[in-house]
Amino acid sequence: MNWDWDKLQEKRDRQQRQRPVRPERDDRDTFDHDRSDEDARTRRPSPGPRGGSSGPHFSMPRMRLPNGLMLGGGAALLVLLWLLSGIYIVNPGEEGVVLRFGKYNRTVGPGPHYALPSPIETVYKPQVARIMRSEVGYRSAGESRTFQQGQVRGIPAEASMLTGDENIVNVQFSVQYRIADPVAYLFNVYEPDAMVRNAAEAAMREVIGNSLIDAAITDGKLQIQAEATQLLQTILDRYGAGIDVIAVQLQDVHPPDEVRDAFKDVASAREDKSRIINEAEAYRNELLPRARGEAAALRNEAEAYRAMRVQNAEGAAARFAAVSEEYAKAPRVTGQRLYYEAVEDILKNAGDKVVLDGKIPEKVLPYLPLPGLKGAQPATGGTEKK
């Protein structure tokens, strides 16, 4: 009986494909079973004299990788990925704080670094160059953090403070700070932002309690800011917070709403007083230099006049001494010469001159219109007008 071996083989192949897959038992049984199935599928009878198959024909089985080796490769890949997860980058303006089994180990700067993967080592990256801000007495609305009317929400419980003269004032201020020691900032305090706000409120209450309300509202704000900054830094250093306070800035200082109008009037009066004082100071600063200049000019003129008079007197004294010495040598000649010089000094400044010779002066009335001599008639009896 001749069998159609090709059709029989195709039927067996279809049955093998439709057969459900049995669960695997172990590596050896699975490998042997797969090899027996492969042998059964590839075994073909040899062809007979009429084109049929005269006997079975065997082909080489296909090799498969054991499941244990595949699991080992997957585990090695997972270990490699776990080791590579320790690579991290610290950005500019940050510092990397590395903990090993929860204990501080080291601090690294910006750049790529490697740490043993979690849970062996843990990395924190605080932003040490960032200027942070804490608000006391109010909260800004939105991300702009600008203090403008209508964009803030007051916190009366934080803003209400008592001054040194037992007056109530509402103080709204902000604190600017940065991280100075990242290790202390991360592990010495809990919730550092809330701690900074509470410490700033305590420091400001102490400073306001030592100040008068007039200074807090008008011209004492700069001193209050400086004292609050120094006191807040002292408190944070005592806590070991690792925070450096940059500035404390007063945003708004005003009395309660019930007495705000009265305080505005007082502040206006103080401003008027300061304005008037400044105007008086300006007038004084303008007048005093001018008076000092005039006094210096008068003093210089007096000094010059004194020096001139002294020098003239000294010259006259020296001339008199010289003439006296010459008079002692020749009294008659020197006396006549002095008489001529004296007459010359008298007559050189006279405009009109009247000379009477001989006995004429005895007959003439000794009254002459000397001031109006040009209009007078010359006297008779030998008068000569020069």
Side-chain angles (χ1 to χ4, degrees), residues 43-289:
R43 187 181 299 115
R44 294 176 180 272
S46 58
R50 294 186 180 180
S53 298
S54 60
H57 175 73
F58 298 94
S59 63
M60 292 296 296
R62 291 180 294 178
M63 299 297 295
R64 289 190 177 182
L65 196 63
N67 291 340
L69 187 59
M70 295 177 63
L71 293 176
L77 181 60
L78 291 177
V79 171
L80 179 61
L81 294 176
W82 179 71
L83 293 175
L84 292 177
S85 65
I87 299 175
Y88 65 96
I89 296 177
V90 178
N91 297 322
E94 299 178 345
E95 286 190 7
V97 179
V98 182
L99 305 182
R100 180 172 294 176
F101 295 111
K103 183 179 180 181
Y104 171 73
N105 182 263
R106 63 188 182 274
T107 302
V108 297
H113 301 278
Y114 181 79
L116 296 177
S118 181
I120 300 176
E121 288 185 348
T122 307
V123 181
Y124 294 93
K125 296 183 287 185
Q127 298 180 356
V128 296
R130 177 188 175 190
I131 304 300
M132 292 176 285
R133 179 178 176 181
S134 180
E135 299 169 343
V136 181
Y138 73 101
R139 297 294 183 271
S140 297
E143 299 295 333
S144 61
R145 297 287 183 181
T146 57
F147 189 86
Q148 298 179 2
Q149 189 68 23
Q151 292 186 355
V152 297
R153 177 174 57 89
I155 309 296
E158 296 180 357
S160 181
M161 300 182 184
L162 187 65
T163 62
D165 51 357
E166 297 182 356
N167 287 304
I168 298 176
V169 64
N170 294 329
V171 181
Q172 298 176 352
F173 65 97
S174 62
V175 180
Q176 295 180 358
Y177 62 96
R178 66 178 185 87
I179 301 174
D181 185 354
V183 179
Y185 178 80
L186 290 173
F187 308 116
N188 285 0
V189 294
Y190 178 73
E191 294 185 357
D193 296 337
M195 185 270 299
V196 170
R197 181 181 296 108
N198 294 333
E201 181 181 352
M204 183 60 70
R205 288 186 182 277
E206 180 175 349
V207 174
I208 292 294
N210 296 327
S211 304
L212 301 179
I213 189 171
D214 294 336
I217 294 177
T218 57
D219 56 353
K221 294 182 180 180
L222 294 178
Q223 182 178 359
I224 291 175
Q225 291 179 167
E227 293 179 0
T229 301
Q230 183 177 2
L231 182 58
L232 177 58
Q233 186 65 63
T234 302
I235 295 175
L236 295 179
D237 293 342
R238 189 185 309 154
Y239 290 164
I243 294 175
D244 185 14
V245 180
I246 298 176
V248 174
Q249 296 180 347
L250 292 174
Q251 303 292 346
D252 187 19
V253 181
H254 59 272
D257 296 336
E258 293 77 7
V259 294
R260 179 177 296 184
D261 295 336
F263 274 94
K264 285 184 178 180
D265 295 338
V266 173
S268 299
R270 291 183 179 275
E271 291 177 357
D272 294 339
K273 176 184 176 181
S274 300
R275 178 179 56 80
I276 294 174
I277 291 176
N278 294 333
E279 291 177 356
E281 291 289 339
Y283 177 72
R284 185 188 68 173
N285 294 334
E286 179 184 359
L287 185 61
L288 287 180

Side-chain angles (χ1 to χ4, degrees), residues 369-383:
L370 297 179
L373 189 59
K374 289 184 178 181
Q377 296 294 329
T380 59
T383 62

